Amino acid sequence: MKKIFIILFVFISTAAFTQEIKIGTVAPAGSAWETTLKEIASEWTRISGGEISVKIYSGGTVGDEEDIIRKIKLGRLNAAALTSQGIKNISNDLFALSIPMLVKDDEEFEYVFEKIKPQFDKKLEENGFVPLGWAMTGWVKWFTKSKILYPDDLKQIKVAVDNTDDKIIQIWQNIGFKVIPLSLSDLMSGIYSGMAEGTYITPYAANAMGLAEYTPFMLELEIAPVYGLLTISDRTWRRVNDSYKPLLIKRTGEILDQFYGKITVIENEGLKVMKQKGLVSVPVTPEAVKAWEKIVEDGVTLFVDETISTSIYAEIKKYINEYRRK
């Protein structure tokens, strides 16, 4: 009887002191991002000795990224794994490095991001969120039904863009593209039906969605970096045992630092498969790059002026120029 009482006491005590953290993400079940979140969840439980359990709601089962942020603020969720599109729902400034054609390659992105990261983290904290870790996830490229090289080529077809951001839609419209606003869930049906004839997306996502079968041309132009964020509400973070926090942050950062290397391997393997199925990779020329930079620069002015803080944008431009003078 005494033994049963002890077991029951331990069970009740453990249940009473276990903190469940609910994470929302639009990343599909089985994706590299969800697998990474599961690894982080396991580490959090290990580090806390079972005091923390993490439940992941993937695939948009708790809504899109705007819904996820709203539910965190209402206390229905505790944390989120967001794309650079999604973090705009916390602050538009956090999207600044994903402005098309602003940064050119991995090395430049890494340099500028490390410089601006303290400002991004501060912006999160001002809005009631604690940054747990950031991760580079890839570059979006144009996938189209017909071959394109110059902006004028793209203007001849209908392109699908994210329907959740009126400003981004306005950028592409101002440039002169025939824009078809679509949700990610409607993208495939829109391409398949002919409603849209192209879109910008990472090769990893294009392969996962089977998109290349219907848009067999990929322009080798890195339009914009896509980066991810794992963040938790300040309200939830305050309830986490302080003795665990340094190691939780450290291990989360270590795991997220490895993510881009893993996703790059998967993406390259996916590109091989897509090319075997008929995907044509279109090399970009220096002249074409200049044409894209010119037309996009003209188009993003309105977005920057009305959406991004002048100080944040000026600081990013300073670091970009700093890197290019090296």
Side-chain angles (χ1 to χ4, degrees), residues 93 96-97 99 102 112 115-116 119-120 304-305 308-322 325:
D93 286 348
L97 278 180
I99 292 174
L102 183 62
V112 176
K115 295 282 189 177
I116 202 67
Q119 295 294 330
F120 280 6
V304 172
D305 290 346
I308 306 296
S309 298
T310 303
S311 58
I312 288 284
Y313 188 69
E315 197 166 348
I316 287 173
K317 291 289 286 185
K318 181 185 77 171
Y319 296 138
I320 289 172
N321 293 332
E322 194 176 275
R325 285 196 301 266

Side-chain angles (χ1 to χ4, degrees), residues 186-222:
D186 291 333
L187 178 61
M188 279 302 297
S189 60
I191 296 287
Y192 180 76
S193 67
M195 182 188 299
E197 300 159 285
T199 191
Y200 55 91
I201 195 169
T202 65
Y204 171 83
N207 183 48
M209 297 171 67
L211 187 65
E213 184 178 348
Y214 305 101
T215 54
F217 293 92
M218 180 187 76
L219 181 61
E220 282 288 356
L221 176 70
E222 295 179 331

